[in-house]
Amino acid sequence: MEFLLFCIIFVTAFLVAFKPQKQKLAHILLVVSILMSVFIWLVATWGMLVPAGNL
């Protein structure tokens, strides 16, 4: 999952650097990468956020 996040950020950087006309797509990819990083954080820390027996 982290590799996919890295690939999304790399493609976004490529679009910003070499294809300025695709700025809207780059913006969407950046928002997706932020949401995906929050999701990865939630999955990784779910055991600490919700103690056993409380759900």
Side-chain angles (χ1 to χ4, degrees):
M1 224 177 211
E2 288 86 0
F3 181 71
L4 180 63
L5 183 63
F6 173 77
C7 290
I8 291 172
I9 292 172
F10 182 79
V11 169
T12 303
F14 175 79
L15 287 175
V16 168
F18 299 109
K19 306 270 185 185
Q21 67 272 18
K22 302 235 179 198
Q23 184 178 2
K24 185 170 179 156
L25 178 62
H27 178 74
I28 292 170
L29 287 174
L30 281 176
V31 170
V32 166
S33 68
I34 291 170
L35 292 175
M36 193 172 181
S37 64
V38 169
F39 175 73
I40 291 171
W41 176 78
L42 280 174
V43 168
T45 60
W46 187 254
M48 293 181 280
L49 294 174
V50 181
N54 286 348
L55 211 130

